[in-house]
Amino acid sequence: MNNTHAATSSASRMQHGDSDSDSSTPPKKSKIPKYSRFTQQELPACKPILTPGWVITSFVAVGIIFIPIGIASLFASEQVVEIVDQYDHDCLPSEYRGDPLTFIKDSTTNKTCSRRLIVPKPMKGPVYIYYQLDNFYQNHRRYVKSRSDKQLRSRAAEADTKTCAPEATIGKGAPIVPCGLIAWSLFNDTYGFSMKNKALHISKDIAWKSDREKKFGSDVYPKNFQSGTLIGGAKLNESIPLSQQEDLIVWMRTAALPTFRKLYGKIEADFEANDIITVVIENNYNTYSFGGKKKLVLSTSSWIGGKNDFLGIAYLSVGGLCLFLAISFILLYVIKPRPLGDPSYLSWNRNAAGQVN
């Protein structure tokens, strides 16, 4: 009895001691998240059963929608009239055909070239003027990074040229505005258009409004630009702010592919078939050192933009493939049908009404 009483007293003291120690020790924070149907992924979800009827209907619907869109896109693309003229080789004097680099680098040679373009079909204004460059990699990493967006936006950031190497400063650290390789290589061929001895006006409202207002400052003016020993491209008027330098704004939006077109201007006039347009070109831009090509493009537009057959072909291909699969599934279902199972035996229906647990 005494041993039993002692053991009971000892156990009682241990229990009291444990409770005292538990009360003095702060409770541990649990890392178990609070329960919710969302965190435990128990919310109702759509679990469709792909029956032959649903699959065939889906393919037919996609085909019916995509094929008319593809036909409309191809028709719109065919309505676009383009005139493409590659002039880089033909605008070289005969004595420089074998050595174009000497011609393009010599500032004393006459770079003027006259071309005649024949309008193949009626062209309704506005007629867009593009220059196309081939084998020019504007997506090169060092080229894309060589610019200062802060400097382009604000005059206060004029000296922010740390990302513009190698065209960052000139002389004794004077900043170049705009700095960087992109601006330095600005396209500088020029085009003048005339028809029936009458000059055609070229509109320069070509840059995005968001670029003019947000990316290029109205208080930022060119400074020390193209003043070094190696000239990359066009020069800029130092009395005009960057927000009004439309050609620069268009050029600074770099292209993703090595063959690209950039907008040069617009002609607000209509042309009839067989009209002859005379173009006076200043062949200044050096594409000969890297094996590039230069093309002048005149184009109308449609509701899908310029001439683009790929979009229509892609829609027709997908739509035609879906119709082909729908017809194949119909024939397979009719010739060799496959019985469906009972959906009530699916895992998420195991507690369905009438089913024995």
Side-chain angles (χ1 to χ4, degrees), residues 8-291:
T8 305
S9 300
S10 176
S12 177
R13 285 195 300 271
M14 290 178 64
Q15 289 176 358
H16 285 294
D18 289 345
S19 63
D20 292 339
S21 61
D22 290 343
S23 63
S24 62
T25 304
K28 294 183 179 180
K29 294 182 179 180
S30 174
K31 295 183 179 180
I32 300 176
K34 185 179 179 181
Y35 172 80
S36 70
R37 298 185 67 188
F38 176 76
T39 57
Q40 298 302 319
Q41 300 184 14
E42 294 178 356
L43 293 175
C46 179
K47 300 174 181 177
I49 301 173
L50 297 179
T51 61
W54 272 107
V55 172
I56 292 171
T57 303
S58 300
F59 278 126
V60 170
V62 172
I64 291 175
I65 294 173
F66 275 42
I67 289 178
I69 295 177
I71 294 174
S73 300
L74 279 179
F75 180 77
S77 179
E78 287 298 320
Q79 300 304 307
V80 175
V81 182
E82 275 191 357
I83 304 174
V84 181
D85 179 50
Q86 181 178 340
Y87 63 87
D88 48 7
H89 180 75
D90 293 338
C91 281
L92 289 172
S94 57
E95 62 271 21
Y96 289 103
R97 294 287 171 88
D99 189 13
L101 284 177
T102 301
F103 166 78
I104 204 69
K105 292 180 178 180
D106 189 352
S107 59
T108 62
T109 56
N110 183 16
K111 305 293 195 301
T112 304
C113 172
S114 182
R115 307 284 289 171
R116 294 173 71 252
L117 306 179
I118 300 177
V119 180
K121 298 178 182 179
M123 302 178 71
K124 299 295 181 181
V127 177
Y128 296 91
I129 308 167
Y130 299 91
Y131 55 88
Q132 177 175 319
L133 297 178
D134 295 357
N135 202 35
F136 191 113
Y137 288 82
Q138 273 198 319
N139 59 354
H140 192 283
R141 182 172 177 270
R142 288 192 63 192
Y143 184 87
V144 172
K145 290 180 63 177
S146 185
R147 63 185 293 164
S148 174
D149 291 318
K150 291 182 179 179
Q151 185 198 65
L152 296 174
R153 284 195 300 265
S154 173
R155 187 175 182 177
E158 181 180 281
D160 188 357
T161 61
K162 58 181 178 295
T163 58
C164 293
E167 290 295 320
T169 59
I170 190 173
K172 297 181 179 180
I176 299 173
V177 183
C179 65
L181 287 175
I182 303 177
W184 173 80
S185 59
L186 176 62
F187 187 77
N188 62 342
D189 282 7
T190 61
Y191 310 114
F193 296 85
S194 63
M195 188 174 66
K196 300 177 181 178
N197 296 323
K198 183 179 179 181
L200 299 174
H201 174 70
I202 300 176
S203 172
K204 281 293 184 178
D205 184 18
I206 55 177
W208 291 12
K209 184 180 179 181
S210 59
D211 286 354
R212 291 196 302 263
E213 296 179 353
K214 301 295 179 61
K215 294 187 176 182
F216 293 82
S218 58
D219 61 341
V220 183
Y221 291 83
K223 184 178 180 181
N224 301 321
F225 186 69
Q226 301 287 23
S227 299
T229 56
L230 186 62
I231 305 301
K235 297 187 177 183
L236 299 175
N237 190 335
E238 295 189 356
S239 63
I240 301 176
L242 296 187
S243 61
Q244 298 179 22
Q245 304 269 7
E246 301 269 339
D247 290 320
L248 174 69
I249 296 173
V250 171
W251 179 259
M252 294 293 288
R253 185 171 284 275
T254 54
L257 300 175
T259 297
F260 59 87
R261 292 178 181 180
K262 289 186 181 290
L263 191 59
Y264 180 85
K266 295 183 290 185
I267 300 176
E268 301 288 346
D270 298 337
F271 300 114
E272 300 298 329
N274 299 320
D275 280 348
I276 298 176
I277 303 174
T278 303
V279 188
V280 177
I281 301 174
E282 283 288 335
N283 183 22
N284 299 313
Y285 202 66
N286 182 11
T287 57
Y288 306 100
S289 60
F290 57 87

